[in-house]
Amino acid sequence: DVKVTQSSRYLVKRTGEKVFLECVQDMDHENMFWYRQDPGLGLRLIYFSYDVKMKEKGDIPEGYSVSREKKERFSLILESASTNQTSMYLCASSSFSSQGTSTDTQYFGPGTRLTVL
Amino acid sequence: QKEVEQDPGPLSVPEGAIVSLNCTYSNSAFQYFMWYRQYSRKGPELLMYTYSSGNKEDGRFTAQVDKSSKYISLFIRDSQPSDSATYLCAMSAGPGTYKYIFGTGTRLKVLA
């Protein structure tokens, strides 16, 4: 079974703090993703990475950065947390298809509920 | 207009009912269609994955894709209280793309 783990289930931080969210997958997947989920807005892609040290901006990258130093680990960084970043953060991973031409199904971690005060 | 539309519910049904959950979409390039189930305060888990049009069945769950109408459905037979969750549809254009587009989710409550 694919396992995606996230470092914290619940996190409370103060405005202006630097926040690190960690994600680890154990299936040797090439692709990893960070989403945020808000009521009425669904899942929105923040960043994704298709290889070590490679990253691509998603739909809402502003205020976030990412790091992928090892294949199994993908970190989301909030440089200076703000109250509008209070949300559920979800990490996902997937592999490329056997033909190497598309990404396979995305598997999600349990999520980190971040509250910024 | 959103690329993917999904009624947020909530949808309440009695135990044993057949449930129909639906999404419509506007992008004719979508070829891969997924349904995820998300329990409260948990991450989404993959339920069904279909390619192009047609039906796919897995136990009590049936996924249906009608590309001509840009409409997908998830049917749950003999619904159970444990099926109470939010159901998310997701779509992608397939080869050469990483991006999933998600619906906002439909909250389902199955009453015992």
Side-chain angles (χ1 to χ4, degrees), chain B residues 23-87:
Chain B
C23 288
T24 59
Y25 63 95
S26 57
N27 188 346
S28 57
F30 290 146
Q31 297 185 62
Y32 293 85
F33 304 91
M34 284 66 63
W35 284 97
Y36 286 84
R37 177 176 61 196
Q38 186 175 23
Y39 291 114
S40 182
R41 300 187 180 275
K42 298 282 178 69
E45 57 177 321
L46 181 68
L47 265 182
M48 302 285 283
Y49 176 90
T50 52
Y51 170 69
S52 195
S53 282
N55 291 1
K56 185 174 182 179
E57 192 172 318
D58 184 0
R60 296 185 295 112
F61 298 91
T62 300
Q64 199 171 75
V65 175
D66 182 349
K67 290 188 74 180
S68 61
S69 302
K70 297 191 181 69
Y71 190 87
I72 69 169
S73 300
L74 177 71
F75 297 97
I76 307 173
R77 289 184 298 282
D78 187 26
S79 55
Q80 303 294 310
S82 58
D83 294 327
S84 298
T86 296
Y87 290 80

